[in-house]
Amino acid sequence: MSRAAIIVKPEDPYDNVLENFEIRGVSEITIGKSESCNIVYSDKLVSSEHAKIYKSIDGKYHIADLESLNGTFLNGKRFMTAL
């Protein structure tokens, strides 16, 4: 069975702690510092409402930057699509 998850890796190369967030069965997830987000991630590079991951009608997941100051990265590359 495949696993649907978000893995957050810190920017600091000496920080080997990965955070893993399960997303199976969820149609929309918000990520940011705000307590109103589904995934609250306190980091100096993360905005209050930083990004959104959502599932489209065809069942595919998409990511959108919510006009964050530092941008959103996917697999180490800046992701430019915004809602």
Side-chain angles (χ1 to χ4, degrees), residues 11 31-33 41-51 64-74 76-81:
E11 185 72 24
I31 303 166
K33 286 182 184 175
Y41 194 74
S42 294
D43 184 278
K44 65 183 177 183
L45 300 176
V46 176
S47 298
S48 293
E49 292 182 352
H50 195 96
D65 184 85
L66 299 177
E67 299 180 7
S68 65
L69 182 62
N70 294 303
T72 298
F73 292 77
L74 180 62
K77 295 181 182 170
R78 190 167 185 159
F79 192 82
M80 301 303 286
T81 302

Side-chain angles (χ1 to χ4, degrees), residues 22-81:
E22 185 70 32
I23 62 170
R24 185 181 310 280
V26 178
S27 62
E28 183 176 292
I29 295 169
T30 53
I31 303 166
K33 286 182 184 175
S34 173
E35 292 294 324
S36 66
C37 292
N38 302 102
I39 296 176
V40 177
Y41 194 74
S42 294
D43 184 278
K44 65 183 177 183
L45 300 176
V46 176
S47 298
S48 293
E49 292 182 352
H50 195 96
K52 179 184 287 189
I53 298 173
Y54 60 96
K55 191 174 187 177
S56 61
I57 293 174
D58 62 5
K60 294 180 182 178
Y61 283 97
H62 303 271
I63 187 166
D65 184 85
L66 299 177
E67 299 180 7
S68 65
L69 182 62
N70 294 303
T72 298
F73 292 77
L74 180 62
N75 297 326
K77 295 181 182 170
R78 190 167 185 159
F79 192 82
M80 301 303 286
T81 302

